Coordinates of all heavy atoms in Angstrom, one line a residue:
M1 N 84.4 99.8 73.2 CA 84.8 98.6 74.0 C 84.8 97.3 73.1 O 83.7 96.8 72.8 CB 83.8 98.4 75.1 CG 84.0 99.4 76.3 SD 85.6 99.1 77.1 CE 85.7 100.7 78.0
P2 N 85.9 96.9 72.6 CA 85.9 95.7 71.7 C 85.5 94.4 72.4 O 84.8 93.6 71.8 CB 87.4 95.7 71.2 CG 88.2 96.5 72.2 CD 87.2 97.4 72.9
T3 N 86.0 94.1 73.6 CA 85.7 92.9 74.2 C 85.5 93.2 75.7 O 85.7 94.2 76.2 CB 86.9 91.9 74.1 OG1 88.0 92.3 74.9 CG2 87.3 91.6 72.7
T4 N 85.1 92.1 76.4 CA 84.9 92.3 77.9 C 86.0 91.6 78.6 O 86.0 91.3 79.8 CB 83.6 91.7 78.3 OG1 83.5 90.3 77.8 CG2 82.4 92.5 77.8
E5 N 87.1 91.2 77.9 CA 88.2 90.5 78.5 C 88.8 91.4 79.5 O 89.1 92.6 79.3 CB 89.2 90.2 77.4 CG 90.4 89.4 78.0 CD 91.5 89.2 76.9 OE1 91.6 90.0 76.0 OE2 92.3 88.2 77.1
R6 N 89.1 90.8 80.7 CA 89.7 91.6 81.8 C 91.2 91.8 81.5 O 91.9 90.8 81.3 CB 89.5 90.9 83.1 CG 88.0 91.0 83.6 CD 87.8 90.3 84.9 NE 86.5 90.3 85.3 CZ 86.0 91.4 86.0 NH1 86.7 92.4 86.3 NH2 84.7 91.4 86.4
V7 N 91.7 93.0 81.6 CA 93.1 93.2 81.3 C 93.7 94.1 82.4 O 93.0 94.8 83.2 CB 93.3 93.9 80.0 CG1 92.8 93.1 78.8 CG2 92.6 95.3 80.0
T8 N 95.0 93.9 82.6 CA 95.7 94.8 83.5 C 96.6 95.7 82.6 O 97.3 95.2 81.7 CB 96.6 93.9 84.4 OG1 95.7 93.1 85.2 CG2 97.5 94.8 85.3
Y9 N 96.6 97.0 82.9 CA 97.5 97.9 82.2 C 98.8 98.0 83.1 O 98.7 98.1 84.3 CB 96.9 99.2 82.0 CG 95.7 99.2 81.0 CD1 94.4 98.9 81.5 CD2 96.0 99.3 79.7 CE1 93.4 98.8 80.5 CE2 94.9 99.2 78.7 CZ 93.6 99.0 79.2 OH 92.6 98.9 78.3
A10 N 99.9 98.1 82.5 CA 101.1 98.3 83.2 C 102.1 99.1 82.4 O 102.2 99.0 81.2 CB 101.7 96.9 83.5
W11 N 102.9 99.9 83.1 CA 104.0 100.6 82.4 C 105.2 99.8 82.6 O 105.6 99.4 83.7 CB 104.2 102.0 83.0 CG 105.2 102.7 82.2 CD1 106.5 102.8 82.4 CD2 105.0 103.4 80.9 NE1 107.2 103.5 81.4 CE2 106.3 103.9 80.5 CE3 103.9 103.7 80.1 CZ2 106.4 104.6 79.3 CZ3 104.0 104.4 78.9 CH2 105.3 104.9 78.5
C12 N 105.9 99.6 81.5 CA 107.1 98.8 81.5 C 108.3 99.8 81.4 O 108.4 100.5 80.4 CB 107.2 97.8 80.4 SG 108.7 96.8 80.4
F13 N 109.2 99.7 82.4 CA 110.3 100.6 82.4 C 111.6 100.1 81.6 O 112.6 100.7 81.6 CB 110.7 101.0 83.8 CG 109.7 101.9 84.5 CD1 108.7 101.4 85.3 CD2 109.7 103.3 84.2 CE1 107.8 102.2 85.8 CE2 108.8 104.1 84.8 CZ 107.8 103.6 85.6
V14 N 111.4 98.9 81.1 CA 112.5 98.4 80.3 C 112.2 98.6 78.8 O 113.0 99.1 78.0 CB 112.7 96.9 80.5 CG1 113.7 96.3 79.5 CG2 113.2 96.7 81.9
H15 N 110.9 98.4 78.4 CA 110.5 98.7 77.1 C 110.0 100.1 76.9 O 109.7 100.5 75.7 CB 109.4 97.6 76.7 CG 109.9 96.2 76.7 ND1 109.3 95.3 77.5 CD2 110.9 95.6 76.1 CE1 110.0 94.1 77.4 NE2 111.0 94.3 76.5
A16 N 109.9 100.8 78.0 CA 109.4 102.2 77.9 C 108.1 102.3 77.2 O 107.9 103.1 76.3 CB 110.4 103.1 77.3
S17 N 107.1 101.4 77.5 CA 105.9 101.5 76.8 C 104.8 100.9 77.7 O 105.1 100.2 78.7 CB 105.9 100.7 75.5 OG 106.2 99.3 75.8
L18 N 103.5 101.2 77.4 CA 102.4 100.6 78.1 C 102.2 99.2 77.7 O 102.1 98.9 76.5 CB 101.2 101.5 77.8 CG 99.9 101.2 78.7 CD1 100.2 101.6 80.1 CD2 98.7 101.9 78.1
H19 N 102.0 98.3 78.7 CA 101.7 96.9 78.4 C 100.3 96.6 78.8 O 99.8 97.2 79.7 CB 102.6 96.0 79.2 CG 104.1 95.9 78.7 ND1 104.5 96.5 77.5 CD2 105.2 95.4 79.2 CE1 105.8 96.3 77.3 NE2 106.2 95.6 78.3
V20 N 99.7 95.7 78.1 CA 98.3 95.3 78.4 C 98.4 93.8 78.6 O 98.7 93.1 77.7 CB 97.3 95.7 77.3 CG1 95.9 95.3 77.8 CG2 97.4 97.2 77.0
F21 N 98.1 93.3 79.8 CA 98.1 91.9 80.1 C 96.7 91.4 80.3 O 95.9 92.0 81.0 CB 98.9 91.6 81.4 CG 100.3 92.1 81.4 CD1 100.8 92.9 82.4 CD2 101.2 91.8 80.4 CE1 102.1 93.4 82.4 CE2 102.5 92.2 80.4 CZ 102.9 93.0 81.4
A22 N 96.4 90.3 79.7 CA 95.1 89.6 80.0 C 95.2 89.0 81.4 O 96.2 88.4 81.7 CB 94.9 88.5 79.0
Q23 N 94.2 89.3 82.2 CA 94.3 88.8 83.6 C 94.2 87.3 83.7 O 94.6 86.7 84.7 CB 93.2 89.5 84.4 CG 93.5 91.0 84.6 CD 92.4 91.6 85.5 OE1 91.5 91.0 86.1 NE2 92.5 92.9 85.6
A24 N 93.7 86.7 82.7 CA 93.6 85.2 82.7 C 94.9 84.5 82.4 O 94.9 83.3 82.6 CB 92.5 84.8 81.7
S25 N 95.9 85.2 82.0 CA 97.1 84.5 81.7 C 98.3 85.2 82.3 O 98.2 86.3 82.8 CB 97.3 84.5 80.1 OG 97.3 85.8 79.6
T26 N 99.4 84.5 82.3 CA 100.7 85.1 82.9 C 101.2 86.2 82.0 O 101.2 86.1 80.8 CB 101.7 84.0 82.9 OG1 101.2 82.8 83.6 CG2 103.0 84.5 83.6
P27 N 101.5 87.3 82.7 CA 102.1 88.5 81.9 C 103.2 88.0 81.0 O 104.1 87.3 81.4 CB 102.6 89.4 83.0 CG 101.8 89.1 84.2 CD 101.5 87.6 84.1
W28 N 103.2 88.5 79.7 CA 104.2 88.1 78.7 C 105.5 88.8 78.9 O 106.5 88.5 78.3 CB 103.6 88.3 77.3 CG 103.0 89.6 77.1 CD1 101.6 89.9 77.2 CD2 103.6 90.8 76.7 NE1 101.4 91.2 77.0 CE2 102.6 91.8 76.7 CE3 104.9 91.2 76.5 CZ2 102.9 93.1 76.3 CZ3 105.2 92.5 76.2 CH2 104.2 93.5 76.1
C29 N 105.5 89.9 79.7 CA 106.7 90.6 79.9 C 107.2 90.4 81.3 O 106.4 90.6 82.3 CB 106.5 92.1 79.6 SG 108.0 93.1 80.0
T30 N 108.4 90.0 81.5 CA 108.9 89.7 82.9 C 109.9 90.8 83.3 O 110.7 90.6 84.2 CB 109.6 88.3 82.9 OG1 110.6 88.3 82.0 CG2 108.6 87.2 82.7
A31 N 109.9 91.9 82.6 CA 110.8 93.0 82.9 C 110.2 93.8 84.1 O 109.2 93.4 84.7 CB 111.1 93.8 81.7
A32 N 110.8 94.9 84.3 CA 110.4 95.8 85.4 C 109.2 96.6 85.0 O 109.4 97.7 84.4 CB 111.5 96.7 85.9
W33 N 108.0 96.2 85.3 CA 106.8 96.9 85.0 C 106.0 97.2 86.2 O 106.1 96.4 87.2 CB 106.0 96.3 83.9 CG 105.7 94.8 84.1 CD1 106.3 93.8 83.6 CD2 104.6 94.3 84.9 NE1 105.8 92.6 84.0 CE2 104.7 92.9 84.8 CE3 103.6 94.8 85.6 CZ2 103.8 92.0 85.4 CZ3 102.7 94.0 86.3 CH2 102.8 92.6 86.2
A34 N 105.2 98.2 86.2 CA 104.3 98.5 87.3 C 102.9 98.5 86.9 O 102.5 99.1 85.9 CB 104.7 99.9 87.8
A35 N 102.1 97.6 87.6 CA 100.7 97.6 87.3 C 100.0 98.9 87.6 O 100.3 99.5 88.6 CB 100.1 96.4 88.1
L36 N 99.1 99.3 86.8 CA 98.4 100.5 86.9 C 96.9 100.3 87.2 O 96.3 99.4 86.6 CB 98.6 101.4 85.7 CG 100.0 101.7 85.3 CD1 100.1 102.2 83.9 CD2 100.6 102.8 86.2
D37 N 96.4 101.0 88.2 CA 95.0 100.9 88.5 C 94.2 101.7 87.6 O 93.9 102.9 87.8 CB 94.8 101.4 90.0 CG 93.4 101.2 90.4 OD1 92.7 100.4 89.8 OD2 93.0 101.8 91.4
A38 N 93.8 101.1 86.4 CA 93.1 101.9 85.4 C 92.2 101.0 84.6 O 92.5 99.8 84.4 CB 94.1 102.5 84.5
A39 N 91.1 101.6 84.1 CA 90.1 100.8 83.4 C 90.4 100.8 81.9 O 89.9 100.0 81.1 CB 88.7 101.3 83.7
D40 N 91.1 101.8 81.4 CA 91.4 101.9 80.0 C 92.8 102.5 79.8 O 93.5 103.0 80.7 CB 90.3 102.6 79.2 CG 90.2 104.1 79.7 OD1 91.2 104.7 80.0 OD2 89.0 104.5 79.9
R41 N 93.2 102.5 78.5 CA 94.5 103.0 78.1 C 94.8 104.4 78.6 O 95.9 104.7 79.1 CB 94.6 103.0 76.6 CG 95.8 102.2 76.1 CD 95.9 102.3 74.6 NE 97.3 102.2 74.2 CZ 98.0 101.1 74.2 NH1 97.4 100.0 74.5 NH2 99.3 101.2 73.9
E42 N 93.8 105.3 78.4 CA 94.0 106.7 78.8 C 94.2 106.9 80.2 O 95.1 107.6 80.7 CB 92.8 107.5 78.3 CG 92.7 107.8 76.8 CD 93.9 108.5 76.3 OE1 94.2 109.6 76.9 OE2 94.6 108.0 75.4
A43 N 93.4 106.2 81.0 CA 93.5 106.2 82.5 C 94.8 105.6 82.9 O 95.4 106.1 83.9 CB 92.3 105.5 83.1
A44 N 95.2 104.6 82.2 CA 96.5 104.0 82.6 C 97.7 105.0 82.4 O 98.6 105.1 83.3 CB 96.7 102.7 81.7
L45 N 97.6 105.7 81.3 CA 98.7 106.7 81.1 C 98.7 107.8 82.1 O 99.7 108.3 82.5 CB 98.6 107.2 79.6 CG 99.0 106.2 78.6 CD1 98.7 106.7 77.2 CD2 100.4 105.8 78.7
T46 N 97.5 108.2 82.5 CA 97.3 109.2 83.5 C 97.9 108.8 84.8 O 98.6 109.5 85.5 CB 95.8 109.6 83.6 OG1 95.4 110.1 82.3 CG2 95.7 110.8 84.6
E47 N 97.5 107.5 85.2 CA 98.0 106.9 86.4 C 99.5 106.8 86.4 O 100.2 107.1 87.4 CB 97.4 105.6 86.6 CG 97.9 104.7 87.7 CD 97.3 105.0 89.0 OE1 96.5 105.9 89.1 OE2 97.7 104.4 90.0
K48 N 100.1 106.4 85.3 CA 101.5 106.3 85.2 C 102.2 107.7 85.4 O 103.1 107.8 86.1 CB 101.9 105.7 83.8 CG 103.4 105.6 83.6 CD 103.9 106.7 82.8 CE 105.4 106.7 82.9 NZ 106.0 108.0 82.4
Q49 N 101.6 108.7 84.8 CA 102.1 110.1 84.9 C 102.0 110.6 86.4 O 103.0 111.2 86.9 CB 101.3 111.0 84.0 CG 101.9 112.4 83.8 CD 103.1 112.3 82.9 OE1 103.3 111.4 82.1 NE2 104.0 113.3 83.1
T50 N 100.9 110.2 87.0 CA 100.8 110.6 88.4 C 101.8 110.0 89.3 O 102.4 110.6 90.2 CB 99.3 110.3 88.9 OG1 98.4 110.9 88.0 CG2 99.1 110.7 90.3
R51 N 102.0 108.7 89.1 CA 102.9 107.9 90.0 C 104.4 108.1 89.7 O 105.2 108.1 90.6 CB 102.5 106.5 90.0 CG 101.2 106.2 90.8 CD 100.7 104.8 90.6 NE 101.7 103.8 91.0 CZ 101.5 102.5 90.8 NH1 100.4 102.1 90.2 NH2 102.4 101.6 91.2
F52 N 104.7 108.2 88.4 CA 106.1 108.1 88.0 C 106.5 109.3 87.2 O 107.7 109.4 86.8 CB 106.3 106.8 87.2 CG 106.0 105.6 87.9 CD1 104.9 104.9 87.5 CD2 106.7 105.1 89.0 CE1 104.5 103.7 88.2 CE2 106.4 104.0 89.6 CZ 105.3 103.3 89.3
G53 N 105.6 110.3 87.0 CA 106.0 111.5 86.3 C 106.5 111.2 84.9 O 105.9 110.4 84.2
A54 N 107.5 111.9 84.5 CA 108.0 111.8 83.1 C 108.9 110.6 82.9 O 109.3 110.4 81.7 CB 108.7 113.1 82.7
A55 N 109.2 109.9 83.9 CA 110.2 108.8 83.8 C 109.6 107.7 82.9 O 108.5 107.3 83.0 CB 110.4 108.1 85.2
R56 N 110.4 107.3 81.9 CA 110.0 106.3 81.0 C 110.8 105.0 81.1 O 110.4 103.9 80.9 CB 110.1 106.8 79.5 CG 109.1 107.9 79.2 CD 109.4 108.5 77.9 NE 109.1 107.6 76.8 CZ 110.0 107.3 75.9 NH1 111.2 107.8 75.9 NH2 109.8 106.4 74.9
F57 N 112.1 105.2 81.4 CA 113.0 104.1 81.6 C 113.3 103.9 83.1 O 113.3 104.8 83.9 CB 114.3 104.3 80.8 CG 114.1 104.2 79.3 CD1 113.9 105.3 78.5 CD2 114.0 103.0 78.7 CE1 113.7 105.2 77.2 CE2 113.8 102.9 77.3 CZ 113.6 104.0 76.6
F58 N 113.8 102.7 83.4 CA 114.1 102.3 84.7 C 115.1 103.3 85.4 O 115.0 103.7 86.5 CB 114.7 100.9 84.7 CG 114.7 100.2 86.0 CD1 113.5 99.8 86.6 CD2 115.9 100.0 86.7 CE1 113.5 99.2 87.9 CE2 115.9 99.4 87.9 CZ 114.7 99.0 88.5
D59 N 116.1 103.7 84.6 CA 117.2 104.5 85.1 C 116.7 105.9 85.5 O 117.4 106.6 86.2 CB 118.3 104.7 84.1 CG 119.1 103.4 83.9 OD1 118.9 102.5 84.8 OD2 119.9 103.3 83.0
E60 N 115.5 106.3 85.0 CA 115.0 107.6 85.3 C 114.2 107.7 86.6 O 113.7 108.8 87.0 CB 114.1 108.1 84.1 CG 115.0 108.2 82.8 CD 114.1 108.5 81.6 OE1 112.9 108.4 81.7 OE2 114.7 108.8 80.6
L61 N 114.0 106.5 87.2 CA 113.2 106.5 88.4 C 114.0 106.8 89.6 O 115.2 106.5 89.6 CB 112.6 105.1 88.6 CG 111.4 104.7 87.6 CD1 111.1 103.2 87.8 CD2 110.2 105.5 87.9
P62 N 113.4 107.4 90.7 CA 114.1 107.5 91.9 C 114.4 106.1 92.5 O 113.7 105.1 92.2 CB 113.1 108.2 92.9 CG 112.0 108.6 92.0 CD 112.1 107.9 90.7
R63 N 115.5 106.0 93.3 CA 116.0 104.7 93.8 C 114.9 103.9 94.5 O 114.8 102.7 94.3 CB 117.1 104.9 94.7 CG 117.7 103.7 95.3 CD 119.2 103.6 95.2 NE 119.7 102.4 95.8 CZ 119.9 101.3 95.1 NH1 119.7 101.3 93.8 NH2 120.3 100.2 95.7
E64 N 114.1 104.5 95.3 CA 113.1 103.7 96.0 C 112.0 103.1 95.1 O 111.5 102.0 95.3 CB 112.4 104.5 97.1 CG 111.6 105.8 96.7 CD 112.5 107.0 96.7 OE1 113.7 106.9 96.5 OE2 111.9 108.1 96.8
Q65 N 111.7 103.8 94.0 CA 110.8 103.2 93.0 C 111.5 102.1 92.2 O 110.8 101.1 91.9 CB 110.2 104.3 92.1 CG 109.3 105.2 92.8 CD 108.6 106.2 91.9 OE1 109.1 106.5 90.9 NE2 107.4 106.7 92.3
Q66 N 112.7 102.2 92.0 CA 113.5 101.2 91.3 C 113.4 99.9 92.2 O 113.2 98.8 91.7 CB 114.9 101.6 91.1 CG 115.1 102.6 90.0 CD 116.5 102.9 89.7 OE1 117.4 102.3 90.4 NE2 116.8 103.8 88.8
L67 N 113.7 100.1 93.5 CA 113.7 98.9 94.4 C 112.3 98.3 94.4 O 112.2 97.0 94.4 CB 114.1 99.3 95.8 CG 115.6 99.7 95.9 CD1 115.9 100.3 97.2 CD2 116.5 98.5 95.6
A68 N 111.3 99.1 94.5 CA 109.9 98.5 94.6 C 109.6 97.7 93.3 O 108.9 96.7 93.4 CB 108.9 99.7 94.7
L69 N 110.1 98.2 92.2 CA 109.8 97.5 90.9 C 110.6 96.2 90.8 O 110.1 95.2 90.3 CB 110.1 98.3 89.7 CG 109.1 99.4 89.4 CD1 109.6 100.3 88.3 CD2 107.7 98.9 89.2
R70 N 111.8 96.2 91.4 CA 112.6 95.0 91.3 C 111.9 93.8 92.0 O 112.1 92.7 91.6 CB 114.0 95.2 92.0 CG 115.0 95.8 91.1 CD 116.3 95.8 91.7 NE 117.2 96.9 91.2 CZ 117.8 96.8 90.0 NH1 117.8 95.7 89.3 NH2 118.6 97.8 89.6
H71 N 111.2 94.1 93.0 CA 110.5 93.0 93.7 C 109.5 92.3 92.9 O 109.0 91.2 93.2 CB 109.9 93.5 95.0 CG 110.9 93.8 96.0 ND1 111.7 92.9 96.6 CD2 111.2 95.0 96.6 CE1 112.5 93.5 97.5 NE2 112.3 94.8 97.5
M72 N 109.1 93.0 91.8 CA 108.0 92.4 90.9 C 108.6 91.6 89.8 O 107.9 91.0 89.1 CB 107.2 93.5 90.3 CG 106.5 94.4 91.3 SD 105.6 95.7 90.5 CE 104.6 94.7 89.4
E73 N 109.9 91.5 89.7 CA 110.5 90.8 88.7 C 110.8 89.3 89.1 O 111.7 89.1 89.9 CB 111.9 91.4 88.3 CG 111.8 92.8 87.7 CD 113.2 93.3 87.4 OE1 113.8 92.9 86.4 OE2 113.7 94.1 88.2
P74 N 109.9 88.4 88.6 CA 110.1 87.0 89.0 C 111.4 86.4 88.7 O 112.0 85.6 89.4 CB 109.0 86.3 88.3 CG 108.3 87.3 87.4 CD 108.9 88.6 87.6
D75 N 112.0 86.8 87.5 CA 113.3 86.3 87.1 C 114.4 86.7 87.9 O 115.5 86.0 88.0 CB 113.5 86.7 85.6 CG 112.6 86.0 84.7 OD1 111.9 85.0 85.1 OD2 112.5 86.4 83.5
K76 N 114.3 87.8 88.6 CA 115.4 88.4 89.4 C 115.2 88.3 90.9 O 115.8 89.0 91.6 CB 115.7 89.8 88.9 CG 116.2 89.8 87.5 CD 116.5 91.3 87.1 CE 116.9 91.3 85.6 NZ 117.1 92.7 85.1
H77 N 114.2 87.5 91.3 CA 113.9 87.5 92.7 C 114.8 86.6 93.5 O 115.0 85.4 93.2 CB 112.4 87.0 92.9 CG 112.0 87.0 94.3 ND1 111.8 85.9 95.1 CD2 111.7 88.1 95.1 CE1 111.5 86.3 96.3 NE2 111.4 87.6 96.3
H78 N 115.5 87.2 94.4 CA 116.4 86.4 95.2 C 116.0 86.5 96.7 O 116.0 87.5 97.3 CB 117.8 87.0 95.1 CG 118.4 87.0 93.7 ND1 118.7 85.9 93.0 CD2 118.6 88.0 92.9 CE1 119.1 86.2 91.8 NE2 119.1 87.5 91.7
P79 N 115.5 85.3 97.2 CA 114.9 85.3 98.6 C 115.9 85.8 99.6 O 115.5 86.3 100.7 CB 114.6 83.9 98.8 CG 115.1 83.1 97.6 CD 115.5 84.0 96.6
H80 N 117.2 85.7 99.4 CA 118.1 86.0 100.4 C 118.7 87.4 100.3 O 119.6 87.8 101.0 CB 119.3 85.0 100.5 CG 118.8 83.6 100.7 ND1 118.2 83.3 101.9 CD2 118.8 82.5 100.0 CE1 117.9 82.0 101.9 NE2 118.2 81.5 100.7
E81 N 118.2 88.2 99.3 CA 118.7 89.5 99.1 C 118.4 90.4 100.3 O 117.3 90.3 100.8 CB 118.1 90.1 97.8 CG 119.1 90.9 97.1 CD 118.6 91.2 95.7 OE1 117.6 92.0 95.6 OE2 119.1 90.7 94.7
Ligands
LIG101 ZN1 108.1 95.1 78.9

């Protein structure tokens, strides 16, 4: 454990990689990522596997999961959609 900084782990389906966000600041990635309920990197990857299987990119997700992720994109949020 290097620090006690609180972080959020998230899988990003645009960059196809695990992101780590400091909870104290705004996430640096505004693409389609899903926050993972995990305390460390290993748990985050396990959680990602459980929820999204082998999908790494947005296009590999089922449609309903794509829609759920779109709502998390602040840049693409359209209130009248
Ligand atoms: Zn990203």
Side-chain angles (χ1 to χ4, degrees):
M1 289 292 163
T3 68
T4 54
E5 182 186 28
R6 288 175 181 277
V7 297
T8 296
Y9 293 90
W11 184 266
C12 179
F13 288 97
V14 173
H15 299 120
S17 62
L18 189 69
H19 287 350
V20 185
F21 302 128
Q23 289 183 7
S25 59
T26 305
W28 46 266
C29 176
T30 56
W33 50 264
L36 300 164
D37 183 19
D40 59 41
R41 235 185 146 78
E42 285 302 306
L45 289 172
T46 302
E47 170 83 358
K48 181 263 167 193
Q49 192 71 26
T50 302
R51 285 170 58 189
F52 303 107
R56 294 171 64 234
F57 288 98
F58 197 72
D59 288 349
E60 297 171 349
L61 288 170
R63 177 132 182 92
E64 61 268 27
Q65 288 188 335
Q66 290 185 356
L67 289 173
L69 287 177
R70 270 187 208 281
H71 289 296
M72 298 178 54
E73 295 179 75
D75 290 345
K76 294 180 182 174
H77 186 250
H78 302 292
H80 299 295
E81 217 168 69

